[in-house]
Amino acid sequence: MKRKELDEGLKQLQELLVEMGERVEHALAEAMASLQTLDAEKARVIVEQDRRLNELEERIDQLGARMIATQQPVAKDLRRILTAFKMAADLERMGDLSVDIAKITLRLQGQTLVKPLIDLPRMAEVTQQMIHESIQSYVQENVDLAYKMAKDDDEVDALYNQVTQDLFKLMVSNPQTITQAGMISFAGRYVERIADHATNIGESVVYLVLGKRPDLNV
Amino acid sequence: MATTGMKVKDLSVFYGEKEAVKKVSLSFSPKQVTALIGPSGCGKSTFLRSLNRMNDTIGGVKTTGEIWIDDVNVNDPSVDVVELRQQIGMVWQRPNPFHKSIYENIAFGPRYHGIKNKKKLDEIVEDSLRRAALWNETKDRLHNSALALSGGQQQRLCIARSIAVKPKVILMDEPASALDPVSTSKIEELIAELKKEYCIVIVTHNMQQAARVSDRTAFFYMGKLIETDDTDKMFTNPSEKETDDYISGRFG
């Protein structure tokens, strides 16, 4: 085993994951901003930029596979690579879900929102913070921060309940809003899914550091 | 007769003043392969050789502590060393066949232990060579010199020779380190076969080999046993940082 080459590869994996994390955080923030203002131009940029996330995931897969094939990593080195695979898959999916939100903006362009969005952007903010902290917990190998994901995820779930209840009430009182309110409710669902993936990253970090995988998504 | 394995308690081995193995306690279960790993000079080979008292042949070696195979204390002065080594066989790093025919290499041990019947010896030779996955390659030239065999074949012959005397335990000191990849892989497959019947203890410098062939791994460092656990656990999530550093190539 060439220790230097292995260390170099592990460092590269971390850099790629950090870039993915930053891009996903940005994609979610921008997707939510585009929805709040029904800004189609902003939404198109998100869809366009998702390609880079897919590329990054592929690079992580290739680099990790090459390291396993040529360096035969074990113990924590091996866990680092396995963690990178899983985190990259989570982050890529989070990017796709941000694109799904942006696509709702594109569907709704030209309309007026049936209600101002308040809890949904709040949900997105908490989720964005989760993405940030999940990557931080990974870089610092901070297990406490990783476990915090479970608590934050509960907050997101509670906000999601609030969002859907408000939208259902609106749809019942004014059936004309059903199509749009239904789509906004989907956007809420997507944000909630993103938070679940951030929680998965927390689980991966615990596995990386302690060698056991907890279930934080309960 | 089936063995219940070996138990080592507080074993120390001294070369003169130098304590090469420091109070090591370790058990070996039957039908399991245990790999001893660690950097050069960590005491793993000395430890291995003490299990069937090969260290007796080196002057100035003192051993303390206990080594048990079933109910026999290996270090007890009343133990017949030849009989002990029949029960606990050894395969060395470099294949060391006798300068005799393939047949005689295998028949030597059983004959020494009193088997004179030709038919019985023929059976033992065939059975041992089959178990060592060497029968098909040698059945037509049993009376040719063993030295004409390739390195990998010679090593399998040495394994066949050690199982011909029906041991309970087989010790292997880097049995594949002098062999090419194909021969290495044959030896590894053979180890997997042999463990169905024997208790095997193997010293290896090749981490991947330890991970592939063993059920349990013991990590030695500076004469001490640092950690022992199931091999799966040792190579994915060892408990000790020194183990992680060693198997990841950070030192050693």
Side-chain angles (χ1 to χ4, degrees):
Chain A
M1 183 175 1
K2 284 176 262 169
R3 192 62 239 179
K4 202 176 146 205
E5 208 171 298
L6 188 60
D7 282 334
E8 185 53 43
L10 292 172
K11 191 167 146 252
Q12 235 177 306
L13 280 180
Q14 189 181 79
E15 284 164 3
L16 291 168
L17 284 168
V18 168
E19 182 182 343
M20 280 190 91
E22 282 166 357
R23 283 181 174 272
V24 167
E25 218 186 296
H26 178 77
L28 172 61
E30 288 293 287
M32 191 46 62
S34 81
L35 187 63
Q36 268 181 291
T37 53
L38 294 185
D39 182 340
E41 197 39 53
K42 218 185 246 301
R44 272 189 210 98
V45 175
I46 314 271
V47 176
E48 180 57 34
Q49 285 177 344
D50 187 55
R51 236 185 273 164
R52 173 70 184 157
L53 273 171
N54 298 344
E55 274 170 28
L56 285 166
E57 187 200 13
E58 210 179 309
R59 277 185 60 188
I60 288 170
D61 282 355
Q62 284 172 354
L63 178 59
R66 202 176 69 217
M67 285 164 71
I68 290 175
T70 60
Q71 310 282 327
Q72 290 94 39
V74 293
K76 197 165 184 187
D77 293 332
L78 179 62
R79 297 208 303 276
R80 264 182 211 288
I81 296 173
L82 298 179
T83 300
F85 287 152
K86 194 147 173 28
M87 282 177 64
D90 277 316
L91 287 163
E92 191 275 337
R93 193 77 198 97
M94 289 152 99
D96 288 347
L97 289 161
S98 302
V99 165
D100 289 337
I101 297 169
K103 282 183 178 164
I104 291 175
T105 303
L106 294 176
R107 297 269 297 273
L108 297 182
Q109 65 178 299
Q111 299 183 22
T112 310
L113 287 173
V114 291
K115 73 184 276 297
L117 304 180
I118 298 157
D119 283 335
L120 187 56
R122 171 81 197 116
M123 225 182 127
E125 253 172 60
V126 176
T127 304
Q128 208 187 313
Q129 181 68 18
M130 282 176 76
I131 302 169
H132 188 79
E133 288 182 351
S134 70
I135 297 297
Q136 237 185 335
S137 75
Y138 163 68
V139 172
Q140 302 166 355
E141 297 188 13
N142 183 336
V143 173
D144 291 339
L145 195 56
Y147 272 115
K148 184 172 168 277
M149 293 299 130
K151 218 174 111 249
D152 294 343
D153 191 42
D154 290 344
E155 190 183 344
V156 171
D157 288 347
L159 282 165
Y160 176 54
N161 269 338
Q162 189 61 46
V163 167
T164 47
Q165 273 178 26
D166 288 352
L167 288 167
F168 285 149
K169 271 185 216 152
L170 185 67
M171 288 189 261
V172 170
S173 65
N174 183 1
Q176 301 247 305
T177 64
I178 286 179
T179 314
Q180 196 191 101
M183 279 196 223
I184 295 171
S185 153
F186 272 128
R189 175 76 184 142
Y190 298 146
V191 177
E192 190 269 334
R193 293 295 303 147
I194 292 175
D196 286 347
H197 285 286
T199 309
N200 284 352
I201 293 179
E203 287 177 1
S204 291
V205 171
V206 175
Y207 171 72
L208 168 66
V209 180
L210 304 179
K212 57 176 187 186
R213 191 172 282 282
D215 189 3
L216 301 184
N217 258 320
V218 284
Chain B
M1 193 187 72
T3 174
T4 52
M6 292 187 80
K7 281 191 178 59
V8 178
K9 216 180 134 204
D10 291 332
L11 183 78
S12 291
V13 182
F14 299 84
Y15 290 121
E17 290 296 301
K18 187 181 164 4
E19 192 175 6
V21 173
K22 298 173 183 167
K23 281 195 173 296
V24 171
S25 296
L26 193 55
S27 297
F28 305 108
S29 304
K31 300 186 181 188
Q32 269 200 347
V33 178
T34 304
L36 311 182
I37 60 169
S40 298
C42 70
K44 60 188 187 300
S45 289
T46 301
F47 175 84
L48 185 82
R49 282 199 298 269
S50 63
L51 296 178
N52 69 350
R53 288 181 49 183
M54 283 290 176
N55 288 330
D56 287 11
T57 57
I58 307 168
V61 174
K62 195 184 93 188
T63 303
T64 63
E66 296 168 18
I67 302 170
W68 292 87
I69 174 161
D70 302 327
D71 55 358
V72 176
N73 183 352
V74 168
N75 286 333
D76 193 297
S78 70
V79 165
D80 175 350
V81 175
V82 173
E83 197 179 306
L84 176 73
R85 289 177 195 156
Q86 175 256 311
Q87 290 191 19
I88 308 174
M90 174 74 107
V91 176
W92 303 91
Q93 178 175 9
R94 296 214 164 259
N96 55 352
F98 305 136
H99 290 227
K100 290 172 183 289
S101 70
I102 294 167
Y103 184 98
E104 286 303 320
N105 262 273
I106 311 289
F108 184 86
R111 201 178 274 141
Y112 183 89
H113 289 285
I115 298 172
K116 306 282 181 219
N117 182 307
K118 169 84 168 64
K119 192 160 162 278
K120 181 77 187 146
L121 284 172
D122 286 352
E123 272 172 27
I124 292 174
V125 169
E126 176 171 347
D127 182 60
S128 305
L129 287 169
R130 279 191 191 281
R131 281 169 200 264
L134 195 59
W135 175 249
N136 287 338
E137 293 157 67
T138 56
K139 63 183 174 194
D140 298 326
R141 46 173 170 151
L142 290 175
H143 299 286
N144 292 6
S145 168
L147 301 180
L149 295 171
S150 73
Q153 288 172 327
Q154 287 186 9
Q155 192 63 308
R156 278 179 282 145
L157 180 70
C158 292
I159 292 172
R161 188 175 66 189
S162 75
I163 58 186
V165 294
K166 309 223 175 307
K168 294 174 174 174
V169 179
I170 304 175
L171 310 176
M172 299 185 174
D173 195 355
E174 298 190 52
S177 64
L179 305 179
D180 65 70
V182 174
S183 303
T184 298
S185 141
K186 281 191 179 155
I187 297 286
E188 290 181 4
E189 281 168 22
L190 183 53
I191 292 171
E193 271 305 307
L194 293 174
K195 86 163 179 190
K196 292 175 187 164
E197 289 181 65
Y198 305 99
C199 169
I200 298 176
V201 185
I202 174 173
V203 161
T204 175
H205 270 127
N206 180 330
M207 290 304 109
Q208 279 70 47
Q209 182 170 70
R212 280 193 300 266
V213 305
S214 70
D215 303 289
R216 302 273 300 172
T217 297
F219 171 54
F220 284 70
Y221 185 54
M222 293 172 75
K224 286 186 186 153
L225 174 67
I226 303 297
E227 181 174 0
T228 179
D229 211 324
D230 288 342
T231 297
D232 294 356
K233 168 88 168 34
M234 288 283 275
F235 282 90
T236 54
N237 189 20
S239 302
E240 303 297 326
K241 188 173 180 303
E242 282 155 309
T243 311
D244 196 324
D245 285 349
Y246 177 69
I247 62 175
S248 310
R250 287 192 179 81
F251 74 85

